[in-house]
Amino acid sequence: MLSWTRAATYRAPASVANAIEKGRRFASHRVLLMLVVGLSFSTRLYKITEPPHVCWDETHFGKMGSYYINRTFFFDVHPPLGKMLIGLAGYITGYDGTFPFIKPGDKYEHHNYWGMRGFCAVLGSFLPIFAYLIVLELSQSHTAALITASLLIFDTGCISISQYILLDPILMFFIMAAVLSMVKFNQQRHRPFTAPWWLWLVLIGVNLAGALGVKFVGLFVIVLVGLNTVWDLWRLLGDLSLSLVDIAKHFLARVVGLILLPLFIYVTIFAIHFVVLNKSGPGDGFFSSAFQSRLIGNNLHNASMPEYLAYGSTITVKNLRIAGGYLHSHWHLYPEGVGARQQQVTAYLHKDYNNLWLVHRQDNNTSQSGTPDLVRHGDIIRLEHKETTRNLHSHLHEAPLTKKHFQVTGYGTNGTGDTNDLWQVEVCGGRKGDLVKVLRSKVRFLHRATGCVLYSSGKTLPKWGWEQVEVTCSPYLKETPSSQWNIEDHINPRLPNISLSVLKPHFLEILLESHIIMIRGNSGLKPKDNEMNSKPWHWPINYQGLRFSGVNETEYRVYLLGNPVIWWMNLATLGLYLIMVAVASVALQRGFSLGPKRMEHACVLMRGGGLLLLGWLLHYVPFYTMGRVLYYHHYFPAMLFNTMLTGITLDILLKSADLLLRPPYSDWLQRVGQMAFLFTVLYSFYLFHPLSYGMTGPLAHEPGSAMAGLKWMDSWEF
Amino acid sequence: MILALGAYLGGFDGNFVWNRIGAEYPSSVSVWSLRLLPALCGALCVPLVYLLTLELRFSHLSALGAALLLLLENSLIVQSRFMLLESVLIFFVLLAFFSYLRFHNTPDSSWFRYSWLLLCGASCAAAVGVKYMGVFSYLLLLGVASLHTWNLIGDQTVSVCVQCVCRFVCLLVVPVLLYVFWFYIHLSLLNRSGPHDQLMSSAFQASLQGGLSRITQGQPLEVAYGSQVTLRSSASQPIPCWLHSHKANYPIRYENGRGSSHQQQVTCYPFKDVNNWWIVKDPGSQELVVGSPPRPVRHGDVIQLVHGMTSRFLNSHDVAAPMSPHAQEVSGYINFNVSMAAQNLWRVDISNREAESEVWKTILSEVRLVHVNTSAVLKLSGVSLPDWGFRQLEVVAEKLFKGHSSSLGWTVEEHRYGISQEQKEREAELHSPTHIDVDRKISFWAKFLELQWKMLTVKQEDSEHKYSSSPLEWITMETNIAYWLHSSTNAQIHLIGNPVSWGVANLSLLAYQLLAAVYLLRRRRGFKDLPDGVWCQFVRLGCVCVGGWVVNFVPFLLMEKTLFLYHYLPALCYLYLLSPALLEHAHTHLLSNVTHRRALCVCVAAMLSSVFLSYRTFCPLTYGSPELSANQLQGLRWRDTWDILYRRR
């Protein structure tokens, strides 16, 4: 592990004689910081309103921002904070939520879209500034900090991704702010429980909650902060001058600041989300019946329907597992080789007329007159699919995915089938003869012939099943939510409708439910076969970018691609860093006597660099294990860490020039190196700036293009 | 991974004739000899565990305890009695750790100790060679070794260069070399084609005797205008398929109402068939025979492809493909006079021309066929057509063409120069087998890399098996695996562990973690409960046993393939090593009171006897005899989730 404990030894001594020097450095620090701020804001806000049409994922996040303004309920795989902020920014700047955001390329016309874009760009402008401050704090070197800041300011990828209505600038803002507060907090370790100490602690907590509230990627920075905190506590524990009470205080302070506070904020975000979005919208079907009854405009809101399940009714049956879906069937058969070739029965999350089922007696004689009979616990029924007139059926074939269970199919025509279509109704916790309450009873369906129970496994069927959820018949009779169902809609014209007040769900239940649905939604984003997928190894080498806007010659094209010079330099420096750190640590371990300057360098490399390397790893490696569809822009948080590492490494490399040359020459070499670096970055930015600020005219491989000769890799599409 | 199975067995012990499982099962060899080796390894594990515990610096008694636990573990017995690889893997892993610790514990002076290190490297290579799971243990061992080396570097009293180099050679270079060597033996032994040929590329297959090379031996190398070829798709792993057409047209309207061109179907067909033959034609001439000298086709040339049996041209146009409407339909062109002109020119794009050559070569060249009019690429979509297409695989021309993608490549597999001018003769010619001579070899390294890649990427069908289980169920042994059921009686063999031992193993895992946490925190606060030597011993125990469990268990949580209970067995072995050692630690260092110690001894005795009893109880399911009645079986079903089979009589 990294030897952060040695840090204290090498801090710059601040004596009285240095006071004037310090003051001057403070002034120059101010100037440099202002320079970074100015450059950063000007590069991000330049041409912010171009192009005046919907670009790429603006179609999602802009739309979701509008939903907040319209208070319509929707469902997204990301937590709500980012979209809430976008909505808020739009609301403040006068956007009225009426633009439909249907597809990329739609013109904004008179709508006020610049507020939302500007908000994202402002947050994105903070990234170089935060990076500057972090590196300055870690390495105490203005050169390193400047290198980092210039790399980020002039990276076309960072500019493009900050300029549109996306979640990424917001996410990265919180990530970097959290890291900055963490670094500042570490710096305060010698003055525990003072005001700045508390301030930075609370700021870490707030920013962590913010990062997690925008995207689940925020978890990685939480892990980073968590590891740092564990290490810090471990250090404190080894400090025998502190009593156990002190350590307990430290521990509790961190629990409050880094666990309870973020949790509270995070929950509050969701509370606001649910309070604001109180109208029925496109996301209803994903949620349970109880949840839907909260939403104005949903058919379960102040619903009225027959209270007890009756024969002859048309019903929908919803699984009680969270995000369980409705019992569903459609005109498609199981493919060959998957059990019997009969009609598919699945669980489906959306509301659909194929979710409707008819309740019949086993002997098929429905009494035509008078009030229909009610279904009771222990009755044997037949469920007929309304649209296709097949019966819910099961038999001793293995289920398509869960091979231990039996297959469930639709069988028979016009309601005539065989004895395998009979199911026994069982109310959980009920006795023989109990009536089945709509919405409130938990019901199980036991298959008469095989004794198994109707079950939703939660596994997604392959393409032939339209990626709906598998329904099986489980021979294991344990009572789990997967085998319990409730009757949601209940239509029977011959019974009086009674207004039902469904139990309003508790807030924590809603929270849990929405999280499980989000996680399931995330893992459900599987790559499609016919799409070219981005692989994690593509990213650091800048293999392929993303088209933000425009495809062909006449259109205004923006292409998300990192400045290749900067990205390749980052990658090379990563290798260089590993070599340098290996050499330094072997030298230290072997006890070679190094000068104080080299010791300090080694320390910065191992401590500061180690932290950044850890951050890079945490934000990059997990993507290799993810099964969901991945995009190029997922690499950007990791790229920020990589760039900061580059700053530190290059700075130390240049400062070690005196290993090669004698003092006056080594200083020259250092200066020349810095100048060459700056020139390279600026020139490459000049070359590639049309990627972010827009290009028109012919594509790069054709003559007469502004980007002629710059298509260095065949996989770039501009 | 039967392929791998053959590879490994063939790899680690090439002397035995019967080890060529991958190639064929020689009928003359009796079953017992095949089962001998795993059983032998399984048996040797027991003394090895004994020795390993001793090397971890624990007493003979705990060594005995560990050996007993391993000995009485029903699942290990079952697993080693069949022709399965787990016991072999466990054996080599244990051997590696044992020899490494032996090396580490021997005093510095003797050079002899490097032979132990060498043995360690060799058994690591063998472990990895038996199953890829061995990699996890190997990495752990490397980690432990590099930690030791790191400490050694810090020790300024000794010169370290030689030592470091020795360790590096023994633990890294030797295993890699040996591993490559296994495969060398494997490939040179298995030079006949076997049941798993189809998984490999054409070039690989061609280098195996028999199999494809029986057909392809002596084909002309360079594809020329007039050549008759079969085109195999590179995308259709693991089942091969060839570009195919037949006398049936696309339906005028599909089920969903979309229209088609109603021209002749072009599909990909997974069986050898005379309809897989295509003739390469020069658009500029009418000849369908190879001229003399033959004019080879090069990268960038524009060709037409004529279907051998029906003489239709391979054609594509702006009509949506039947199953993948985003792509273009590919058809055999028929002129219906409906203003649908023939668009049958294809450009040959050899994607591996840097490695091979500009000329289109049989088997070696991977070509993409680019449609000239639309610059779409001929591609296997992977969807199978409905009944009207005889459930063959759909072939489309894809409009989106981005970068490299192996799914777009086609290789010429069978090839001959066409000589018959007339259609009738040509049909007869197509029916006859191919026959001209050319010789070709691919290098060992190419084969080696391809084999590695295939082994890592070949997946079993990722559906669930009746006896498959998820890793978290292994800890509590929720599932079993039925291996065998007598054809008429209730005698059966199941993979069921000894429940008492599993309980003990889990408990000791928990206990160790708790104990380690308490010790660590207290040491950090300056209370040294244990003398340094004992602490070292305790840490080493944790590194090897708990570490071993972790590296052999946690990766499975991330895997997406079908997993079975037997994947847990290596991890379990580490826990069996841990339990007695932990008990001894408790006995000597935690309990100072004599009565407490006695109580512990009594507990241990009770535990061992209950382990033995449960072993006895489950014996019938382990050895398959004696036969049990249904009631007895019901009694053995300790958990509801176990599937024990009853035969109804």
Side-chain angles (χ1 to χ4, degrees):
Chain A
M1 206 38 219
L2 312 160
S3 54
W4 293 349
T5 37
R6 288 185 201 157
T9 333
Y10 305 114
R11 292 177 63 242
S15 62
V16 189
N18 281 348
I20 306 161
E21 169 72 7
K22 205 176 160 190
R24 224 179 57 208
R25 281 180 61 183
F26 187 67
S28 75
H29 168 64
R30 267 278 173 77
V31 172
L32 287 178
L33 188 61
M34 290 321 291
L35 181 74
V36 169
V37 170
L39 278 175
S40 176
F41 272 87
S42 51
T43 46
R44 265 68 180 169
L45 290 175
Y46 176 63
K47 279 197 174 180
I48 185 77
T49 50
E50 296 278 308
H53 56 244
V54 178
C55 292
W56 197 52
D57 269 1
E58 283 188 341
T59 168
H60 301 300
F61 301 122
K63 191 180 340 182
M64 288 165 188
S66 313
Y67 282 141
Y68 280 102
I69 296 173
N70 299 327
R71 311 191 66 174
T72 312
F73 189 78
F74 67 94
F75 165 74
D76 185 35
V77 295
H78 303 300
L81 179 65
K83 287 149 303 192
M84 248 153 51
L85 290 177
I86 290 173
L88 185 69
Y91 185 68
I92 290 172
T93 54
Y95 168 63
D96 53 4
T98 49
F99 187 69
F101 284 100
I102 291 170
K103 62 174 195 303
D106 290 352
K107 293 268 182 288
Y108 282 114
E109 320 226 315
H110 62 277
H111 294 275
N112 267 336
Y113 64 99
W114 57 267
M116 292 187 274
R117 275 201 190 159
F119 170 73
C120 292
V122 167
L123 290 190
S125 310
F126 278 104
L127 300 180
I129 305 167
F130 285 163
Y132 176 85
L133 293 174
I134 292 171
V135 172
L136 188 65
E137 201 63 60
L138 285 177
S139 67
Q140 300 297 337
S141 151
H142 281 100
T143 332
L146 268 184
I147 291 176
T148 307
S150 58
L151 285 176
L152 285 184
I153 288 172
F154 298 115
D155 179 47
T156 48
C158 283
I159 294 177
S160 311
I161 207 164
S162 307
Q163 283 193 318
Y164 300 94
I165 308 173
L166 299 175
L167 294 185
D168 301 78
I170 310 177
L171 170 74
M172 288 194 285
F173 172 82
F174 282 118
I175 288 178
M176 290 299 272
V179 175
L180 177 64
S181 341
M182 180 179 87
V183 171
K184 289 279 189 192
F185 178 73
N186 283 346
Q187 209 61 34
Q188 300 290 334
R189 66 160 68 105
H190 302 287
R191 293 185 291 280
F193 305 112
T194 55
W197 189 88
W198 278 111
L199 174 73
W200 290 118
L201 182 65
V202 167
L203 275 181
I204 302 179
V206 172
N207 286 314
L208 287 186
L212 188 65
V214 177
K215 267 190 180 185
F216 283 126
V217 175
L219 272 177
F220 302 147
V221 76
I222 291 183
V223 174
L224 179 69
V225 171
L227 287 176
N228 181 61
T229 311
V230 166
W231 182 255
D232 200 28
L233 284 174
W234 187 245
R235 184 186 58 82
L236 288 171
L237 193 67
D239 185 353
L240 295 182
S241 63
L242 290 174
S243 72
L244 277 180
V245 178
D246 289 335
I247 290 173
K249 271 196 215 159
H250 272 284
F251 180 71
L252 283 179
R254 283 166 177 79
V255 167
V256 170
L258 301 180
I259 298 178
L260 295 183
L261 176 73
L263 208 62
F264 174 74
I265 298 177
Y266 184 71
V267 170
T268 314
I269 291 169
F270 268 90
I272 297 172
H273 174 72
F274 291 126
V275 170
V276 171
L277 303 181
N278 58 1
K279 289 186 202 153
S280 166
D284 290 6
F286 289 92
F287 291 84
S288 64
S289 316
F291 188 97
Q292 292 178 32
S293 67
R294 292 176 54 257
L295 300 169
I296 301 167
N298 189 291
N299 56 357
L300 291 181
H301 186 72
N302 299 328
S304 71
M305 55 181 74
E307 191 178 5
Y308 296 107
L309 182 64
Y311 288 106
S313 300
T314 307
I315 58 172
T316 59
V317 185
K318 180 145 184 146
N319 191 250
L320 274 187
R321 207 168 43 83
I322 292 173
Y326 298 96
L327 189 68
H328 178 99
S329 185
H330 40 224
W331 287 113
H332 295 277
L333 305 185
Y334 285 103
E336 218 160 330
V338 183
R341 260 183 77 71
Q342 295 172 5
Q343 184 168 302
Q344 296 173 14
V345 172
T346 63
Y348 188 49
L349 280 170
H350 298 273
K351 296 199 168 189
D352 186 72
Y353 59 86
N354 268 329
N355 299 341
L356 295 177
W357 298 81
L358 294 168
V359 187
H360 289 300
R361 277 178 196 286
Q362 77 183 96
D363 46 8
N364 217 7
N365 58 348
T366 357
S367 55
Q368 292 298 320
S369 60
T371 45
D373 290 338
L374 300 177
V375 180
R376 291 165 191 279
H377 178 104
D379 277 7
I380 292 171
I381 59 161
R382 205 156 46 70
L383 281 176
E384 182 187 322
H385 188 238
K386 194 170 182 210
E387 189 67 20
T388 60
T389 70
R390 305 242 190 261
N391 288 328
L392 188 70
H393 177 98
S394 181
H395 44 216
L396 292 171
H397 286 277
E398 55 185 31
L401 299 178
T402 317
K403 304 279 180 186
K404 292 172 191 174
H405 295 180
F406 302 126
Q407 187 192 26
V408 174
T409 63
Y411 181 71
T413 42
N414 291 328
T416 43
D418 61 8
T419 52
N420 271 336
D421 300 345
L422 300 180
W423 301 81
Q424 185 168 16
V425 178
E426 199 177 77
V427 180
C428 293
R431 280 171 313 175
K432 190 159 174 55
D434 282 0
L435 295 170
V436 180
K437 287 184 201 148
V438 172
L439 282 169
R440 278 169 293 183
S441 289
K442 297 173 179 174
V443 187
R444 305 209 308 162
F445 298 95
L446 287 154
H447 191 240
R448 195 75 184 122
T450 56
C452 57
V453 59
L454 192 69
Y455 188 93
S456 164
S457 68
K459 295 172 191 161
T460 310
L461 293 172
K463 234 178 212 163
W464 54 255
W466 309 97
E467 278 138 23
Q468 296 173 3
V469 179
E470 182 196 37
V471 168
T472 64
C473 193
S474 162
Y476 306 100
L477 297 180
K478 215 160 51 174
E479 281 194 8
T480 60
S482 300
S483 62
Q484 294 174 335
W485 305 77
N486 73 359
I487 315 297
E488 188 172 296
D489 296 302
H490 183 218
I491 304 160
N492 196 329
R494 287 185 291 148
L495 279 175
N497 284 350
I498 291 164
S499 172
L500 297 173
S501 60
V502 187
L503 280 177
K504 285 255 157 73
H506 194 256
F507 172 67
L508 287 178
E509 287 168 8
I510 304 179
L511 192 70
L512 182 71
E513 184 180 341
S514 57
H515 272 83
I516 290 180
I517 293 171
M518 276 192 286
I519 290 166
R520 206 160 287 153
N522 246 323
S523 57
L525 291 174
K526 291 275 187 249
K528 301 217 169 55
D529 288 343
N530 51 11
E531 275 176 21
M532 186 72 182
N533 277 306
S534 185
K535 303 267 182 340
W537 64 264
H538 289 172
W539 304 336
I541 58 172
N542 218 8
Y543 179 76
Q544 198 174 36
L546 274 174
R547 274 202 198 104
F548 264 24
S549 150
V551 179
N552 54 35
E553 303 184 0
T554 52
E555 286 168 317
Y556 185 89
R557 298 189 307 276
V558 174
Y559 190 66
L560 174 72
L561 183 76
N563 183 336
V565 175
I566 291 177
W567 283 54
W568 293 338
M569 188 156 36
N570 276 343
L571 193 64
T573 322
L574 199 65
L576 190 68
Y577 169 78
L578 290 179
I579 295 170
M580 280 165 69
V581 106
V583 170
S585 53
V586 166
L588 283 179
Q589 173 78 4
R590 195 63 191 155
F592 291 131
S593 60
L594 307 170
K597 190 180 135 197
R598 293 244 184 287
M599 289 295 264
E600 195 183 332
H601 286 175
C603 183
V604 167
L605 269 186
M606 295 202 312
R607 204 164 49 90
L611 185 71
L612 296 175
L613 183 72
L614 185 67
W616 179 75
L617 286 175
L618 282 176
H619 284 86
Y620 179 49
V621 176
F623 287 105
Y624 279 97
T625 62
M626 281 187 201
R628 63 162 277 175
V629 56
L630 297 171
Y631 295 106
Y632 174 67
H633 70 268
H634 288 156
Y635 183 66
F636 276 86
M639 182 264 177
L640 295 178
F641 284 98
N642 192 355
T643 314
M644 291 190 276
L645 189 63
T646 306
I648 289 186
T649 313
L650 282 185
D651 180 44
I652 288 179
L653 184 76
L654 288 175
K655 280 184 179 158
S656 307
D658 55 348
L659 283 175
L660 277 179
L661 296 169
R662 304 261 207 99
Y665 304 107
S666 67
D667 282 350
W668 295 352
L669 184 64
Q670 193 180 335
R671 291 273 171 275
V672 167
Q674 287 165 356
M675 285 302 127
F677 165 81
L678 196 62
F679 175 76
T680 320
V681 169
L682 282 176
Y683 185 67
S684 66
F685 176 65
Y686 165 73
L687 286 180
F688 284 99
H689 77 272
L691 289 182
S692 0
Y693 295 133
M695 342 166 233
T696 43
L699 299 172
H701 58 265
E702 287 161 20
S705 163
M707 302 298 288
L710 289 177
K711 199 176 172 184
W712 295 344
M713 285 175 91
D714 284 340
S715 47
W716 296 346
E717 305 143 315
F718 55 78
Chain B
M1 282 233 164
I2 301 167
L3 172 82
L5 183 132
Y8 305 134
L9 280 179
F12 77 80
D13 212 339
N15 297 329
F16 297 91
V17 190
W18 41 264
N19 265 335
R20 287 186 305 181
I21 292 174
E24 60 235 77
Y25 269 92
S27 55
S28 59
V29 176
S30 56
V31 180
W32 71 265
S33 61
L34 282 164
R35 291 187 176 161
L36 177 66
L37 191 78
L40 213 58
C41 287
L44 282 177
C45 283
V46 177
L48 207 53
V49 162
Y50 184 86
L51 290 173
L52 188 52
T53 318
L54 288 185
E55 281 310 319
L56 282 166
R57 301 271 168 82
F58 285 92
S59 71
H60 286 273
L61 264 181
S62 29
L64 201 63
L68 267 180
L69 278 179
L70 209 68
L71 185 67
L72 299 180
E73 171 54 53
N74 304 53
S75 56
L76 284 173
I77 297 174
V78 173
Q79 199 68 12
S80 55
R81 279 166 59 85
F82 289 95
M83 217 171 48
L84 300 166
L85 293 169
E86 261 69 21
S87 61
V88 186
L89 169 73
I90 293 171
F91 171 75
F92 279 118
V93 168
L94 290 175
L95 185 64
F97 271 102
F98 167 67
S99 47
Y100 179 74
L101 287 174
R102 213 357 131 55
F103 159 78
H104 186 67
N105 290 340
T106 347
D108 272 351
S109 48
S110 67
W111 276 96
F112 179 65
R113 72 194 195 115
Y114 282 102
S115 63
W116 283 111
L117 197 58
L118 213 59
L119 177 63
C120 173
S123 40
C124 280
V128 179
V130 171
K131 264 202 155 190
Y132 272 129
M133 254 179 95
V135 170
F136 302 136
S137 298
Y138 177 52
L139 286 179
L140 178 71
L141 194 127
L142 276 188
V144 173
S146 50
L147 212 65
H148 285 152
T149 317
W150 187 245
N151 290 336
L152 197 70
I153 291 176
D155 183 1
Q156 290 171 29
T157 55
V158 288
S159 82
V160 287
C161 268
V162 182
Q163 292 217 21
C164 287
V165 170
C166 279
R167 281 158 199 246
F168 180 77
V169 168
C170 291
L171 291 182
L172 274 176
V173 180
V174 169
V176 171
L177 284 181
L178 276 177
Y179 183 68
V180 174
F181 181 63
W182 304 150
F183 273 90
Y184 186 73
I185 298 180
H186 168 67
L187 288 175
S188 48
L189 274 181
L190 302 187
N191 52 6
R192 281 177 233 154
S193 83
H196 296 287
D197 282 5
Q198 298 178 340
L199 294 173
M200 308 317 241
S201 68
S202 300
F204 192 99
Q205 287 185 38
S207 68
L208 297 171
Q209 287 176 20
L212 181 66
S213 62
R214 202 168 43 235
I215 312 164
T216 56
Q217 215 164 37
Q219 294 182 151
L221 185 58
E222 295 177 351
V223 176
Y225 291 107
S227 281
Q228 301 171 350
V229 295
T230 60
L231 286 165
R232 178 183 149 140
S233 165
S234 320
S236 58
Q237 305 294 3
I239 311 160
C241 81
W242 292 272
L243 191 68
H244 179 97
S245 184
H246 41 231
K247 268 208 183 328
N249 295 353
Y250 287 113
I252 300 177
R253 295 230 165 261
Y254 299 121
E255 290 129 10
N256 56 8
R258 278 193 296 115
S260 82
S261 66
H262 193 48
Q263 295 179 351
Q264 182 166 309
Q265 296 171 15
V266 172
T267 63
C268 202
Y269 186 55
F271 300 97
K272 301 249 163 177
D273 188 83
V274 70
N275 271 326
N276 296 347
W277 284 99
W278 295 82
I279 301 167
V280 179
K281 178 179 167 295
D282 182 0
S285 85
Q286 292 303 312
E287 292 292 304
L288 283 179
V289 295
V290 176
S292 66
R295 279 193 303 133
V297 183
R298 296 177 180 280
H299 172 75
D301 285 358
V302 172
I303 59 163
Q304 287 172 323
L305 281 174
V306 184
H307 188 236
M309 299 303 287
T310 61
S311 301
R312 299 274 180 224
F313 285 86
L314 186 73
N315 180 57
S316 180
H317 41 218
D318 192 15
V319 173
M323 308 307 287
S324 331
H326 54 90
Q328 287 183 22
E329 180 190 88
V330 173
S331 62
Y333 183 70
I334 305 174
N335 191 2
F336 288 121
N337 277 328
V338 283
S339 73
M340 207 173 249
Q343 304 183 354
N344 49 20
L345 296 179
W346 299 84
R347 195 173 61 246
V348 177
D349 185 82
I350 300 175
S351 49
N352 57 348
R353 60 185 176 277
E354 283 91 5
E356 293 298 336
S357 73
E358 287 269 318
V359 180
W360 189 1
K361 287 185 178 171
T362 314
I363 290 174
L364 300 171
S365 299
E366 193 171 285
V367 301
R368 275 178 291 195
L369 292 170
V370 185
H371 191 231
V372 171
N373 298 62
T374 57
S375 71
V377 182
L378 191 72
K379 183 191 167 190
L380 177 71
S381 73
V383 188
S384 58
L385 297 169
D387 286 327
W388 55 257
F390 310 101
R391 310 223 149 258
Q392 298 174 2
L393 300 169
E394 185 200 32
V395 169
V396 300
E398 181 81 79
K399 288 162 198 162
L400 297 166
F401 168 53
K402 288 188 201 164
H404 298 285
S405 166
S406 66
S407 67
L408 304 172
W410 298 84
T411 23
V412 169
E413 194 159 282
E414 291 169 82
H415 173 220
R416 68 184 145 208
Y417 288 155
I419 39 172
S420 7
Q421 200 62 261
E422 292 299 313
Q423 175 68 16
K424 281 274 168 273
E425 283 173 42
R426 200 155 51 231
E427 281 176 18
E429 190 185 2
L430 289 175
H431 278 290
S432 67
T434 47
H435 48 74
I436 310 168
D437 270 321
V438 157
D439 203 17
R440 191 172 45 263
K441 277 245 178 274
I442 56 172
S443 75
F444 165 69
W445 285 107
K447 280 199 225 172
F448 175 72
L449 291 178
E450 179 173 349
L451 196 59
Q452 294 296 314
W453 182 242
K454 285 289 143 110
M455 287 201 301
L456 283 174
T457 49
V458 165
K459 278 194 193 139
Q460 301 144 313
E461 284 186 26
D462 22 76
S463 62
E464 207 169 294
H465 187 271
K466 181 159 193 283
Y467 290 110
S468 67
S469 45
S470 77
L472 287 177
E473 292 173 1
W474 298 341
I475 300 178
T476 48
M477 203 164 57
E478 293 277 340
T479 45
N480 62 324
I481 306 176
Y483 276 11
W484 173 77
L485 176 67
H486 192 275
S487 48
S488 61
T489 68
N490 257 332
Q492 50 191 308
I493 295 182
H494 282 270
L495 184 76
I496 293 188
N498 187 333
V500 180
S501 317
W502 284 53
V504 170
N506 291 337
L507 271 183
S508 56
L509 181 67
L510 266 181
Y512 181 89
Q513 286 169 345
L514 272 178
L515 213 55
V518 171
Y519 279 151
L520 259 179
L521 288 176
R522 282 178 64 83
R523 275 180 87 80
R524 189 73 187 162
R525 291 302 292 172
F527 302 107
K528 298 216 168 175
D529 303 292
L530 301 176
D532 276 342
V534 182
W535 172 244
C536 270
Q537 181 201 34
F538 186 72
V539 169
R540 194 183 313 153
L541 178 71
C543 282
V544 173
C545 299
V546 180
W549 179 81
V550 168
V551 296
N552 279 294
F553 177 68
V554 174
F556 287 112
L557 293 175
L558 303 175
M559 279 185 199
E560 283 183 348
K561 53 180 234 175
T562 317
L563 296 171
F564 293 94
L565 182 65
Y566 57 72
H567 286 125
Y568 185 57
L569 293 180
L572 189 69
C573 283
Y574 287 102
L575 291 188
Y576 286 155
L577 270 176
L578 177 69
S579 326
L582 201 63
L583 282 173
E584 188 194 328
H585 178 83
H587 184 259
T588 41
H589 299 290
L590 276 184
L591 305 176
S592 47
N593 196 327
V594 180
T595 32
H596 288 172
R597 289 188 177 187
R598 287 224 180 100
L600 185 73
C601 289
V602 172
C603 282
V604 170
M607 183 200 84
L608 280 181
S609 46
S610 53
V611 166
F612 181 69
L613 281 180
S614 75
Y615 161 74
R616 278 288 301 277
T617 319
F618 284 98
C619 256
L621 294 184
T622 307
Y623 294 102
S625 66
E627 176 202 342
L628 293 179
S629 72
N631 275 341
Q632 283 170 312
L633 284 173
Q634 186 68 48
L636 279 182
R637 198 174 162 202
W638 288 15
R639 301 195 72 113
D640 294 343
T641 45
W642 288 355
D643 286 312
I644 291 180
L645 312 163
Y646 315 105
R647 198 169 285 283
R648 290 192 189 134
R649 274 186 283 185

